[in-house]
């Protein structure tokens, strides 16, 4: 649980820096160039991490998992950028957890190393999140939240791919190869659209926010992959739902977004699902 709480805090801090970085870079650099800077930050840290971690070789026959995971990551990131640039963090927070619902459903159907109890409580938490996200007066979702929801769907598929990779290599190796291939794809995209001139517009403040966003994301991802390997993905994503509460708190402290009473009640409900689903 301690690692889950730490991962949730890192995820929330990543979201805060992400939102602030997108505000700083709005109408200054493109989303493609933003992703390129983010991936360079991540890859630089991973290269330095080779001093600590061993890089395992992935069998060539399984490289398609890395390539597909990288493509899904890039598309998912574009959808997240679209959502985060146009909507408040407090409003987007519940929709981000739809990836949890999709991941639990897919994983339970494909793998067999999770308990029925964990699955039931994960689904219950998912139902609470869906209830939270629907505007019952209009009975619909806004387009930014829909984009974030679809991003979660793609992320869930990516987690399944990671699940297969973790049977063969370490979490560090799986992440290293995925980031490396994603960086190659993004360089090709930026070259194709001739966007390297944005480098002149990138300020130190922008770069710092992008760097810390990705440092916290990397920490949260390492913790999540560790929990997936140790506990199974259902329990890992259940614990990750604690991020909801931290996100609401940081959204209020940093962006002055006041949560609704309904938001707080759903976070409490999800917390109890986490407790009963992991013990």
């Amino acid at each position: 649980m301690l690692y889950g709480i730490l991962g949730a805090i890192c995820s929330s801090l990543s979201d805060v820096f992400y939102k602030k970085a997108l505000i700083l870079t709005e109408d200054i650099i493109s989303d493609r160039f933003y992703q390129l800077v983010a991936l360079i930050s991540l890859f630089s840290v991973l290269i330095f991490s080779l001093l600590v971690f061993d890089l395992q070789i992935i069998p060539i026959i399984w490289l398609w998992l890395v390539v597909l995971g990288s493509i899904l990551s890039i598309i998912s990131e574009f959808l997240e950028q679209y959502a985060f640039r146009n909507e408040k963090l407090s409003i987007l927070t519940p929709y981000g957890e739809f990836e949890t619902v999709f991941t639990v459903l897919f994983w339970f159907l494909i793998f067999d190393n999770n308990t029925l109890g964990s699955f039931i409580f994960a689904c219950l938490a998912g139902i609470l999140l869906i209830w939270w996200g629907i505007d019952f007066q209009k009975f619909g979702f806004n387009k930014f939240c829909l984009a974030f929801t679809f991003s979660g769907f793609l992320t869930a598929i990516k987690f399944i791919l990671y699940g297969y990779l973790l049977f063969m290599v370490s979490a560090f190796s799986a992440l290293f190869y995925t980031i490396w291939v994603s960086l190659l794809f993004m360089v090709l995209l930026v070259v194709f659209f001739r966007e390297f001139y944005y480098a002149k517009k990138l300020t130190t403040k922008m770069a710092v926010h992008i760097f810390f966003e990705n440092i916290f994301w990397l920490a949260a991802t390492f913790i999540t992959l560790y929990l997936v390997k140790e506990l199974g993905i259902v329990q890992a994503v259940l614990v990750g739902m604690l991020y909801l509460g931290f996100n609401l708190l940081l959204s209020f402290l940093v962006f002055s977004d006041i949560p609704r009473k309904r938001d707080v009640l759903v976070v409490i409900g999800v917390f109890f699902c986490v407790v009963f689903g992991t013990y």
Side-chain angles (χ1 to χ4, degrees):
M1 180 64 82
L2 179 60
Y3 282 111
I5 292 173
L6 183 59
I9 292 173
C10 288
S11 292
S12 296
L13 288 171
S14 176
D15 277 358
V16 169
F17 276 103
Y18 186 36
K19 180 67 175 177
K20 294 186 74 173
L22 288 174
I23 292 172
L24 289 170
T25 58
E26 189 173 8
D27 298 325
I28 298 177
I29 63 175
S30 69
D31 286 349
R32 284 180 292 269
F33 192 78
Y34 183 103
Q35 276 205 52
L36 178 62
V37 175
L39 287 167
I40 290 173
S41 299
L42 285 172
F43 195 64
S44 298
V45 174
L46 290 175
I47 286 290
F48 182 76
S49 300
L50 287 173
L51 297 172
V52 179
F53 299 100
D54 292 326
L55 184 63
Q56 298 171 302
I57 303 299
I58 295 179
I60 295 177
I61 194 173
W62 294 111
L63 285 179
W64 68 271
L65 289 173
V66 176
V67 174
L68 182 55
S70 300
I71 293 172
L72 291 175
S73 293
I74 290 171
I75 298 173
S76 175
E77 179 64 20
F78 278 132
L79 291 169
E80 281 192 26
Q81 285 175 304
Y82 174 70
F84 270 74
R85 284 194 188 278
N86 295 281
E87 192 55 271
K88 292 180 178 180
L89 179 60
S90 60
I91 293 176
L92 289 175
T93 293
Y95 295 91
E97 285 304 320
F98 271 101
E99 73 182 50
T100 298
V101 180
F102 295 133
T103 301
V104 168
L105 291 175
F106 293 160
W107 192 273
F108 194 80
L109 292 173
I110 296 172
F111 301 102
D112 60 357
N113 61 336
N114 290 290
T115 65
L116 179 61
S118 295
F119 175 73
I120 291 173
F121 279 107
C123 288
L124 179 58
I127 292 170
L128 287 172
L129 290 168
I130 293 171
W131 173 77
W132 184 5
I134 294 176
D135 183 346
F136 287 98
Q137 293 181 341
K138 298 179 180 178
F139 204 77
F141 297 90
N142 70 42
K143 59 183 180 181
F144 309 121
C145 295
L146 279 175
F148 202 29
T149 300
F150 188 58
S151 173
F153 176 77
L154 297 180
T155 301
I157 297 176
K158 185 178 71 174
F159 267 121
I160 299 302
L161 298 179
Y162 272 137
Y164 280 108
L165 286 174
L166 290 176
F167 288 132
M168 296 175 284
V169 296
S170 65
F172 173 79
S173 298
L175 199 57
F176 183 92
Y177 288 116
T178 304
I179 297 298
W180 179 40
V181 175
S182 297
L183 178 58
L184 292 177
F185 278 134
M186 195 51 57
V187 168
L188 291 175
L189 279 175
V190 171
V191 168
F192 179 79
F193 287 97
R194 300 178 180 179
E195 292 181 337
F196 274 110
Y197 68 89
Y198 281 122
K200 297 179 180 178
K201 299 183 178 182
L202 188 70
T203 66
T204 302
K205 189 175 182 180
M206 294 176 191
V208 168
H209 277 77
I210 294 173
F211 177 77
F212 277 107
E213 169 223 330
N214 286 283
I215 285 295
F216 284 118
W217 177 86
L218 194 61
T221 302
F222 268 127
I223 292 171
T224 299
L225 292 179
Y226 169 77
L227 291 175
V228 167
K229 203 156 191 174
E230 295 297 316
L231 304 176
I233 201 164
V234 175
Q235 288 190 315
V237 296
L238 265 172
V239 174
M241 284 183 175
L242 294 173
Y243 136 99
L244 290 168
F246 292 116
N247 246 34
L248 286 184
L249 176 61
L250 289 177
S251 181
F252 171 71
L253 294 176
V254 178
F255 301 108
S256 300
D257 290 344
I258 301 175
R260 300 168 296 180
K261 184 185 295 184
R262 177 171 151 214
D263 298 342
V264 177
L265 290 175
V266 172
V267 168
I268 293 172
V270 169
F271 174 78
F272 280 109
C273 288
V274 171
V275 172
F276 288 111
T278 53
Y279 290 103

